[in-house]
Amino acid sequence: FPVTIENNFEVTPIDAIGENLNQYYEFADVEDVTIQGLFIEEIIAKIPKDTMLIGISCMFSCEWFLYEELIKRIREVFPQTVIVVGGEHVTAESENVLKVCPAVDYCVSGEGEETLVELANATKNGLELSKIDGISYLLNGKVIKNKARARIKDLNKIPKPSWDKFPVNNYFIKGNSMTAINRRAMPMIMSSVS
């Protein structure tokens, strides 16, 4: 979720790895898989009870098994809350995600900065979903895939994230930086638009 003051939503980000970089555990359903960070129960306990929308980002397909379990468990605790997933895996596999994980309400494909804000506004105000570019969802068992959202060409229009809401320093303190010499760095995914 674009965590910024400009969007006028109260947001509670949860960085499940960054909040406990020293915790590792075996994932019960998959052999030889170790998870770093918070347990699923700990993640769910951090979600405020009055949450209107839960956004989850799954960047890598090899991690989908864990996200699917997390989403199913969140749905058990939050049966009426809207669950939205995005990220690279979801962009590539939105139809499959909706079919194998009915706990997901909406998939966001491509850049989610504008899409998620529109979806949050639609959820809050009961607006028409068919007008939101970049989402897919199930309707009467059929996958509905709205028009793709145009890429954001002017990056200066994207508000700066509220980094103070994330445990960024935990990564630097532990030495989990993105450089070999452990300098302060953050990963970014970029592409060119002509």
Side-chain angles (χ1 to χ4, degrees):
F1 199 96
V3 183
T4 62
I5 301 302
E6 291 86 348
N7 291 325
N8 297 315
F9 286 102
E10 184 178 331
V11 178
T12 305
I14 301 168
D15 179 346
I17 296 173
E19 292 189 27
N20 196 339
L21 286 162
N22 296 316
Q23 180 167 272
Y24 296 87
Y25 60 94
E26 300 297 318
F27 188 71
D29 295 343
V30 181
E31 189 176 326
D32 296 327
V33 172
T34 301
I35 307 298
Q36 180 184 21
L38 299 176
F39 290 105
I40 288 176
E41 298 80 17
E42 293 174 308
I43 296 169
I44 295 171
K46 289 181 170 287
I47 301 171
K49 298 299 177 208
D50 61 346
T51 296
M52 172 189 80
L53 183 148
I54 298 169
I56 299 167
S57 178
C58 179
M59 295 302 289
F60 305 105
S61 295
C62 63
E63 298 173 340
W64 172 246
F65 70 91
L66 177 61
Y67 286 92
E68 184 178 6
E69 181 63 24
L70 172 63
I71 293 163
K72 288 176 183 175
R73 303 264 295 279
I74 288 172
R75 176 57 72 211
E76 291 170 5
V77 179
F78 293 89
Q80 303 303 318
T81 303
V82 173
I83 297 178
V84 180
V85 294
E88 294 298 320
H89 172 73
V90 175
T91 296
E93 291 288 330
S94 59
E95 188 169 336
N96 184 53
V97 166
L98 290 166
K99 288 180 178 178
V100 302
C101 190
V104 171
D105 293 302
Y106 305 102
C107 289
V108 172
S109 295
E111 298 172 339
E113 287 84 357
E114 296 171 338
T115 307
L116 193 54
V117 172
E118 284 185 26
L119 188 53
N121 278 317
T123 299
K124 183 177 181 181
N125 302 312
L127 303 176
E128 180 60 45
L129 294 172
S130 65
K131 298 183 187 323
I132 302 174
D133 293 347
I135 66 168
S136 52
Y137 51 96
L138 286 175
L139 184 63
N140 300 323
K142 181 182 174 196
V143 175
I144 305 297
K145 206 167 193 170
N146 289 1
K147 183 176 97 177
R149 179 169 297 275
R151 291 205 176 265
I152 301 169
K153 292 186 179 182
D154 184 358
L155 298 182
N156 292 320
K157 288 186 177 178
I158 301 173
K160 291 185 179 178
S162 301
W163 288 116
D164 60 309
K165 294 183 178 283
F166 294 90
V168 174
N169 280 330
N170 291 356
Y171 291 97
F172 301 135
I173 291 166
K174 182 151 172 71
N176 282 31
S177 184
M178 296 302 292
T179 65
I181 55 176
N182 194 28
R183 292 202 175 145
R184 293 175 68 89
M186 292 295 288
M188 296 182 81
I189 298 174
M190 303 180 77
S191 63
S192 62
V193 178
S194 37

